[in-house]
Amino acid sequence: MSPQGLIQIASRHPFNDTVQRLQSGFTEKGLQVFAVIDHSGEAEKVGLKMPPTKVLIFGSPKAGTPLMILAPSLAIDLPLKVLVASDAEGRVSVTYNDPEYLRNRHGFPSELAKNLAGAGALIAKAVE
């Protein structure tokens, strides 16, 4: 389990390309992108400035529903989320919840962790 239950990886791509590669990767694997929250865009609307920051909310009811049936509290963490953020120097990173952290947090059986684990591979591929 990673510190604080988060996995962070650097992206080799610019911010907007990283967001697009994630969205495309999710769609290609049959996952649904439920929403994109543009934190920096919303900040700008109220006169505040922050580096580019978006959260993509994505998932699969087919994979997530069996988990939530066994561990209803998991609904607070599903659908899955990935944070795409750029720092002041323009370095882009993606951060998401460690599936093992979610399993420990909500107590669902380890054999069902595979329902969440595939997202990490998709995220890693999108930023390489």
Side-chain angles (χ1 to χ4, degrees):
M1 185 167 60
S2 48
Q4 301 172 351
L6 298 173
I7 295 174
Q8 184 176 58
I9 3 179
S11 177
R12 295 179 43 200
H13 305 280
F15 180 83
N16 287 329
D17 290 353
T18 298
V19 171
Q20 180 57 47
R21 289 173 64 88
L22 286 164
Q23 288 177 307
S24 295
F26 296 150
T27 302
E28 286 170 14
K29 290 297 182 180
L31 299 173
Q32 185 173 347
V33 177
F34 296 106
V36 176
I37 301 169
D38 183 356
H39 288 293
S40 51
E42 294 301 317
E44 190 174 329
K45 289 178 185 177
V46 295
L48 300 171
K49 184 116 175 100
M50 68 184 295
T53 306
K54 290 185 179 182
V55 172
L56 285 72
I57 300 173
F58 68 98
S60 162
K62 185 175 182 178
T65 302
L67 292 169
M68 290 184 286
I69 290 169
L70 289 173
S73 64
L74 188 56
I76 196 77
D77 287 315
L78 292 182
L80 294 171
K81 297 160 211 61
V82 62
L83 165 67
V84 182
S86 180
D87 66 14
E89 287 78 41
R91 292 180 299 242
V92 178
S93 65
V94 297
T95 305
Y96 61 96
N97 282 313
D98 182 338
E100 186 63 16
Y101 167 81
L102 292 176
R103 189 186 73 72
N104 289 330
R105 181 176 184 192
H106 299 286
F108 59 85
S110 58
E111 61 270 10
L112 289 178
K114 69 183 181 334
N115 289 28
L116 302 178
L122 282 173
I123 292 167
K125 183 177 179 186
V127 300
E128 65 183 20

